[in-house]
Amino acid sequence: CIAGVHLIIHGQTLNDECLDIMAEKGMNASGLAAKSHMSNFIYRVLADQAAPSRDALIAIAFALEMNVEQTQYLLRTGSHARLDPRIHRDVAVIFALNRGMDLPACNDLLYEVGEKTI
């Protein structure tokens, strides 16, 4: 959401999508904030008061233990570019998602391959 303008794809806003996945995973907002390493910002996203960056959505995807397909949908719902296998950094993120890594492990991998961490 940008200043009250909801990002909607297939009738689902970004915060609705996050809330649905959180419910499926049995996670509350404080758990998502801790696992995504975004503290109070996550509450603004869930309240539709802030539009998360692409990296913030990727961090949310790791926190929610999403697979690549779910992450791609989340990025699209948030109006961001999908993970692209032609981009070195995105390949590392896809690899980490496929291996079930958490966010710190993904960041370690990104650092090791010389890419910007999330």
Side-chain angles (χ1 to χ4, degrees):
C1 162
I2 300 172
V5 177
H6 298 282
L7 301 171
I8 301 175
I9 294 191
H10 303 290
Q12 189 84 323
T13 65
L14 179 62
N15 68 323
D16 289 340
E17 182 69 20
C18 288
L19 291 170
D20 287 350
I21 296 167
M22 287 168 58
E24 287 173 22
K25 303 277 183 173
M27 184 179 292
N28 61 23
S30 62
L32 181 60
K35 286 186 77 176
S36 65
H37 302 274
M38 289 195 293
S39 63
N40 291 333
F41 180 70
I42 201 68
Y43 295 100
R44 293 182 54 222
V45 170
L46 295 174
D48 229 5
Q49 297 172 346
S53 67
R54 184 174 188 260
D55 277 356
L57 288 179
I58 292 169
I60 289 169
F62 275 102
L64 292 173
E65 301 172 1
M66 298 172 87
N67 62 33
V68 174
E69 182 181 334
Q70 293 166 324
T71 302
Q72 299 288 41
Y73 180 78
L74 186 66
L75 289 169
R76 188 179 76 202
T77 303
S79 298
H80 289 288
R82 296 166 47 99
L83 295 169
D84 186 337
R86 297 170 295 178
I87 298 172
H88 189 249
R89 182 176 188 254
D90 286 1
V91 169
V93 172
I94 291 168
F95 177 86
L97 288 166
N98 281 333
R99 294 289 190 272
M101 293 179 177
D102 62 9
L103 183 59
C106 178
N107 278 330
D108 288 346
L109 174 64
L110 288 168
Y111 180 80
E112 288 172 23
V113 298
E115 293 292 342
K116 180 176 125 334
T117 58
I118 297 170

mmCIF file of all heavy atoms in Angstrom, residues 16-47:
data_model
loop_
_atom_site.group_PDB
_atom_site.id
_atom_site.type_symbol
_atom_site.label_atom_id
_atom_site.label_comp_id
_atom_site.label_asym_id
_atom_site.label_seq_id
_atom_site.Cartn_x
_atom_site.Cartn_y
_atom_site.Cartn_z
ATOM 1 N N ASP A 16 -3.051 -8.575 3.010
ATOM 2 C CA ASP A 16 -3.954 -9.729 3.107
ATOM 3 C C ASP A 16 -3.200 -11.013 2.801
ATOM 4 O O ASP A 16 -3.375 -12.025 3.475
ATOM 5 C CB ASP A 16 -5.127 -9.607 2.127
ATOM 6 C CG ASP A 16 -6.129 -8.544 2.521
ATOM 7 O OD1 ASP A 16 -6.157 -8.148 3.700
ATOM 8 O OD2 ASP A 16 -6.886 -8.111 1.625
ATOM 9 N N GLU A 17 -2.374 -10.957 1.759
ATOM 10 C CA GLU A 17 -1.582 -12.130 1.376
ATOM 11 C C GLU A 17 -0.653 -12.544 2.518
ATOM 12 O O GLU A 17 -0.570 -13.722 2.871
ATOM 13 C CB GLU A 17 -0.767 -11.818 0.111
ATOM 14 C CG GLU A 17 0.041 -12.973 -0.396
ATOM 15 C CD GLU A 17 -0.806 -14.106 -0.957
ATOM 16 O OE1 GLU A 17 -1.978 -13.895 -1.311
ATOM 17 O OE2 GLU A 17 -0.281 -15.228 -1.031
ATOM 18 N N CYS A 18 0.036 -11.565 3.098
ATOM 19 C CA CYS A 18 0.931 -11.868 4.227
ATOM 20 C C CYS A 18 0.158 -12.444 5.407
ATOM 21 O O CYS A 18 0.591 -13.427 6.016
ATOM 22 C CB CYS A 18 1.690 -10.615 4.662
ATOM 23 S SG CYS A 18 2.954 -10.084 3.505
ATOM 24 N N LEU A 19 -0.977 -11.843 5.719
ATOM 25 C CA LEU A 19 -1.781 -12.328 6.850
ATOM 26 C C LEU A 19 -2.282 -13.749 6.602
ATOM 27 O O LEU A 19 -2.299 -14.570 7.521
ATOM 28 C CB LEU A 19 -2.941 -11.373 7.126
ATOM 29 C CG LEU A 19 -2.544 -10.000 7.683
ATOM 30 C CD1 LEU A 19 -3.736 -9.060 7.676
ATOM 31 C CD2 LEU A 19 -1.940 -10.125 9.080
ATOM 32 N N ASP A 20 -2.680 -14.053 5.368
ATOM 33 C CA ASP A 20 -3.147 -15.407 5.036
ATOM 34 C C ASP A 20 -2.024 -16.426 5.234
ATOM 35 O O ASP A 20 -2.234 -17.491 5.813
ATOM 36 C CB ASP A 20 -3.643 -15.480 3.592
ATOM 37 C CG ASP A 20 -4.980 -14.794 3.384
ATOM 38 O OD1 ASP A 20 -5.633 -14.412 4.378
ATOM 39 O OD2 ASP A 20 -5.368 -14.630 2.212
ATOM 40 N N ILE A 21 -0.839 -16.100 4.742
ATOM 41 C CA ILE A 21 0.288 -17.030 4.863
ATOM 42 C C ILE A 21 0.700 -17.174 6.321
ATOM 43 O O ILE A 21 0.996 -18.280 6.785
ATOM 44 C CB ILE A 21 1.466 -16.569 3.983
ATOM 45 C CG1 ILE A 21 1.053 -16.616 2.510
ATOM 46 C CG2 ILE A 21 2.700 -17.435 4.226
ATOM 47 C CD1 ILE A 21 1.994 -15.894 1.579
ATOM 48 N N MET A 22 0.683 -16.068 7.051
ATOM 49 C CA MET A 22 1.001 -16.141 8.487
ATOM 50 C C MET A 22 0.023 -17.070 9.206
ATOM 51 O O MET A 22 0.432 -17.877 10.038
ATOM 52 C CB MET A 22 0.956 -14.745 9.109
ATOM 53 C CG MET A 22 2.119 -13.863 8.711
ATOM 54 S SD MET A 22 1.877 -12.127 9.171
ATOM 55 C CE MET A 22 1.643 -12.241 10.943
ATOM 56 N N ALA A 23 -1.253 -16.960 8.867
ATOM 57 C CA ALA A 23 -2.263 -17.820 9.490
ATOM 58 C C ALA A 23 -1.998 -19.283 9.159
ATOM 59 O O ALA A 23 -2.069 -20.154 10.037
ATOM 60 C CB ALA A 23 -3.661 -17.415 9.043
ATOM 61 N N GLU A 24 -1.655 -19.559 7.877
ATOM 62 C CA GLU A 24 -1.343 -20.936 7.478
ATOM 63 C C GLU A 24 -0.149 -21.488 8.247
ATOM 64 O O GLU A 24 -0.115 -22.668 8.579
ATOM 65 C CB GLU A 24 -1.010 -20.984 5.976
ATOM 66 C CG GLU A 24 -2.178 -20.810 5.065
ATOM 67 C CD GLU A 24 -1.741 -20.706 3.602
ATOM 68 O OE1 GLU A 24 -0.632 -21.163 3.263
ATOM 69 O OE2 GLU A 24 -2.525 -20.155 2.800
ATOM 70 N N LYS A 25 0.827 -20.624 8.508
ATOM 71 C CA LYS A 25 2.063 -21.048 9.180
ATOM 72 C C LYS A 25 1.956 -20.963 10.697
ATOM 73 O O LYS A 25 2.889 -21.338 11.402
ATOM 74 C CB LYS A 25 3.245 -20.184 8.720
ATOM 75 C CG LYS A 25 3.484 -20.175 7.230
ATOM 76 C CD LYS A 25 4.272 -21.356 6.784
ATOM 77 C CE LYS A 25 4.544 -21.266 5.284
ATOM 78 N NZ LYS A 25 5.433 -22.293 4.828
ATOM 79 N N GLY A 26 0.842 -20.426 11.193
ATOM 80 C CA GLY A 26 0.680 -20.292 12.638
ATOM 81 C C GLY A 26 1.622 -19.257 13.237
ATOM 82 O O GLY A 26 2.092 -19.406 14.360
ATOM 83 N N MET A 27 1.889 -18.191 12.492
ATOM 84 C CA MET A 27 2.827 -17.164 12.942
ATOM 85 C C MET A 27 2.093 -15.862 13.204
ATOM 86 O O MET A 27 1.199 -15.487 12.457
ATOM 87 C CB MET A 27 3.909 -16.945 11.879
ATOM 88 C CG MET A 27 4.986 -15.965 12.293
ATOM 89 S SD MET A 27 6.270 -15.750 11.035
ATOM 90 C CE MET A 27 7.043 -17.355 11.061
ATOM 91 N N ASN A 28 2.475 -15.184 14.263
ATOM 92 C CA ASN A 28 1.893 -13.873 14.547
ATOM 93 C C ASN A 28 2.846 -12.774 14.074
ATOM 94 O O ASN A 28 3.951 -13.048 13.606
ATOM 95 C CB ASN A 28 1.548 -13.729 16.029
ATOM 96 C CG ASN A 28 2.768 -13.863 16.922
ATOM 97 O OD1 ASN A 28 3.908 -13.653 16.500
ATOM 98 N ND2 ASN A 28 2.534 -14.204 18.177
ATOM 99 N N ALA A 29 2.416 -11.528 14.200
ATOM 100 C CA ALA A 29 3.206 -10.400 13.701
ATOM 101 C C ALA A 29 4.555 -10.298 14.406
ATOM 102 O O ALA A 29 5.564 -10.004 13.764
ATOM 103 C CB ALA A 29 2.420 -9.107 13.855
ATOM 104 N N SER A 30 4.590 -10.545 15.698
ATOM 105 C CA SER A 30 5.878 -10.438 16.404
ATOM 106 C C SER A 30 6.839 -11.533 15.942
ATOM 107 O O SER A 30 8.045 -11.296 15.820
ATOM 108 C CB SER A 30 5.692 -10.471 17.920
ATOM 109 O OG SER A 30 5.132 -11.696 18.338
ATOM 110 N N GLY A 31 6.324 -12.720 15.654
ATOM 111 C CA GLY A 31 7.168 -13.790 15.129
ATOM 112 C C GLY A 31 7.709 -13.437 13.754
ATOM 113 O O GLY A 31 8.886 -13.672 13.460
ATOM 114 N N LEU A 32 6.857 -12.846 12.915
ATOM 115 C CA LEU A 32 7.293 -12.430 11.586
ATOM 116 C C LEU A 32 8.329 -11.313 11.692
ATOM 117 O O LEU A 32 9.330 -11.325 10.973
ATOM 118 C CB LEU A 32 6.101 -11.979 10.747
ATOM 119 C CG LEU A 32 6.416 -11.534 9.318
ATOM 120 C CD1 LEU A 32 7.071 -12.670 8.522
ATOM 121 C CD2 LEU A 32 5.153 -11.066 8.626
ATOM 122 N N ALA A 33 8.116 -10.384 12.595
ATOM 123 C CA ALA A 33 9.075 -9.285 12.780
ATOM 124 C C ALA A 33 10.439 -9.829 13.198
ATOM 125 O O ALA A 33 11.470 -9.401 12.676
ATOM 126 C CB ALA A 33 8.548 -8.302 13.818
ATOM 127 N N ALA A 34 10.436 -10.785 14.094
ATOM 128 C CA ALA A 34 11.700 -11.355 14.571
ATOM 129 C C ALA A 34 12.410 -12.146 13.479
ATOM 130 O O ALA A 34 13.616 -11.970 13.249
ATOM 131 C CB ALA A 34 11.450 -12.246 15.785
ATOM 132 N N LYS A 35 11.669 -12.997 12.775
ATOM 133 C CA LYS A 35 12.290 -13.850 11.760
ATOM 134 C C LYS A 35 12.696 -13.093 10.501
ATOM 135 O O LYS A 35 13.607 -13.516 9.795
ATOM 136 C CB LYS A 35 11.370 -15.014 11.390
ATOM 137 C CG LYS A 35 11.299 -16.087 12.468
ATOM 138 C CD LYS A 35 10.517 -17.288 12.020
ATOM 139 C CE LYS A 35 11.346 -18.141 11.097
ATOM 140 N NZ LYS A 35 10.675 -19.386 10.701
ATOM 141 N N SER A 36 12.026 -11.989 10.216
ATOM 142 C CA SER A 36 12.365 -11.208 9.027
ATOM 143 C C SER A 36 13.423 -10.148 9.329
ATOM 144 O O SER A 36 13.927 -9.499 8.418
ATOM 145 C CB SER A 36 11.118 -10.538 8.438
ATOM 146 O OG SER A 36 10.601 -9.579 9.345
ATOM 147 N N HIS A 37 13.729 -9.964 10.611
ATOM 148 C CA HIS A 37 14.718 -8.976 11.052
ATOM 149 C C HIS A 37 14.314 -7.551 10.644
ATOM 150 O O HIS A 37 15.160 -6.732 10.309
ATOM 151 C CB HIS A 37 16.122 -9.324 10.518
ATOM 152 C CG HIS A 37 16.586 -10.673 10.950
ATOM 153 N ND1 HIS A 37 17.224 -10.886 12.147
ATOM 154 C CD2 HIS A 37 16.469 -11.885 10.363
ATOM 155 C CE1 HIS A 37 17.495 -12.172 12.280
ATOM 156 N NE2 HIS A 37 17.037 -12.800 11.207
ATOM 157 N N MET A 38 12.991 -7.297 10.673
ATOM 158 C CA MET A 38 12.509 -5.968 10.283
ATOM 159 C C MET A 38 11.787 -5.248 11.418
ATOM 160 O O MET A 38 11.168 -4.220 11.183
ATOM 161 C CB MET A 38 11.589 -6.073 9.066
ATOM 162 C CG MET A 38 12.331 -6.406 7.807
ATOM 163 S SD MET A 38 11.374 -6.122 6.331
ATOM 164 C CE MET A 38 10.086 -7.345 6.474
ATOM 165 N N SER A 39 11.830 -5.753 12.608
ATOM 166 C CA SER A 39 11.224 -5.166 13.802
ATOM 167 C C SER A 39 9.908 -4.443 13.527
ATOM 168 O O SER A 39 8.984 -5.028 12.996
ATOM 169 C CB SER A 39 12.219 -4.280 14.535
ATOM 170 O OG SER A 39 12.613 -3.196 13.743
ATOM 171 N N ASN A 40 9.829 -3.182 13.877
ATOM 172 C CA ASN A 40 8.555 -2.460 13.813
ATOM 173 C C ASN A 40 8.039 -2.205 12.403
ATOM 174 O O ASN A 40 6.849 -1.984 12.215
ATOM 175 C CB ASN A 40 8.663 -1.137 14.570
ATOM 176 C CG ASN A 40 8.793 -1.360 16.059
ATOM 177 O OD1 ASN A 40 8.332 -2.365 16.584
ATOM 178 N ND2 ASN A 40 9.439 -0.429 16.735
ATOM 179 N N PHE A 41 8.906 -2.234 11.401
ATOM 180 C CA PHE A 41 8.472 -1.982 10.032
ATOM 181 C C PHE A 41 7.418 -2.994 9.589
ATOM 182 O O PHE A 41 6.484 -2.649 8.870
ATOM 183 C CB PHE A 41 9.672 -2.003 9.069
ATOM 184 C CG PHE A 41 9.287 -1.758 7.638
ATOM 185 C CD1 PHE A 41 8.859 -0.507 7.231
ATOM 186 C CD2 PHE A 41 9.341 -2.770 6.703
ATOM 187 C CE1 PHE A 41 8.496 -0.270 5.911
ATOM 188 C CE2 PHE A 41 8.979 -2.550 5.382
ATOM 189 C CZ PHE A 41 8.555 -1.299 4.988
ATOM 190 N N ILE A 42 7.542 -4.220 10.042
ATOM 191 C CA ILE A 42 6.605 -5.266 9.624
ATOM 192 C C ILE A 42 5.180 -4.931 10.067
ATOM 193 O O ILE A 42 4.228 -5.214 9.351
ATOM 194 C CB ILE A 42 7.052 -6.661 10.119
ATOM 195 C CG1 ILE A 42 6.390 -7.751 9.280
ATOM 196 C CG2 ILE A 42 6.746 -6.872 11.571
ATOM 197 C CD1 ILE A 42 6.853 -7.816 7.871
ATOM 198 N N TYR A 43 5.039 -4.273 11.212
ATOM 199 C CA TYR A 43 3.703 -3.895 11.685
ATOM 200 C C TYR A 43 3.083 -2.857 10.746
ATOM 201 O O TYR A 43 1.877 -2.894 10.497
ATOM 202 C CB TYR A 43 3.768 -3.355 13.122
ATOM 203 C CG TYR A 43 4.211 -4.395 14.109
ATOM 204 C CD1 TYR A 43 5.522 -4.430 14.563
ATOM 205 C CD2 TYR A 43 3.328 -5.367 14.575
ATOM 206 C CE1 TYR A 43 5.939 -5.401 15.465
ATOM 207 C CE2 TYR A 43 3.733 -6.336 15.475
ATOM 208 C CZ TYR A 43 5.047 -6.343 15.913
ATOM 209 O OH TYR A 43 5.450 -7.311 16.806
ATOM 210 N N ARG A 44 3.898 -1.954 10.216
ATOM 211 C CA ARG A 44 3.401 -0.959 9.262
ATOM 212 C C ARG A 44 2.982 -1.630 7.959
ATOM 213 O O ARG A 44 1.983 -1.251 7.356
ATOM 214 C CB ARG A 44 4.459 0.115 9.022
ATOM 215 C CG ARG A 44 4.697 0.959 10.273
ATOM 216 C CD ARG A 44 5.711 2.074 10.083
ATOM 217 N NE ARG A 44 5.357 2.907 8.949
ATOM 218 C CZ ARG A 44 6.242 3.350 8.060
ATOM 219 N NH1 ARG A 44 7.515 3.041 8.142
ATOM 220 N NH2 ARG A 44 5.848 4.107 7.048
ATOM 221 N N VAL A 45 3.748 -2.624 7.517
ATOM 222 C CA VAL A 45 3.391 -3.361 6.298
ATOM 223 C C VAL A 45 2.063 -4.079 6.500
ATOM 224 O O VAL A 45 1.167 -4.001 5.650
ATOM 225 C CB VAL A 45 4.502 -4.363 5.914
ATOM 226 C CG1 VAL A 45 4.037 -5.293 4.801
ATOM 227 C CG2 VAL A 45 5.776 -3.631 5.506
ATOM 228 N N LEU A 46 1.932 -4.773 7.623
ATOM 229 C CA LEU A 46 0.712 -5.539 7.888
ATOM 230 C C LEU A 46 -0.504 -4.641 8.086
ATOM 231 O O LEU A 46 -1.632 -5.055 7.817
ATOM 232 C CB LEU A 46 0.904 -6.455 9.096
ATOM 233 C CG LEU A 46 1.940 -7.564 8.909
ATOM 234 C CD1 LEU A 46 2.148 -8.325 10.206
ATOM 235 C CD2 LEU A 46 1.552 -8.501 7.778
ATOM 236 N N ALA A 47 -0.282 -3.410 8.529
ATOM 237 C CA ALA A 47 -1.382 -2.449 8.695
ATOM 238 C C ALA A 47 -1.649 -1.672 7.412
ATOM 239 O O ALA A 47 -2.479 -0.770 7.393
ATOM 240 C CB ALA A 47 -1.057 -1.481 9.829
#
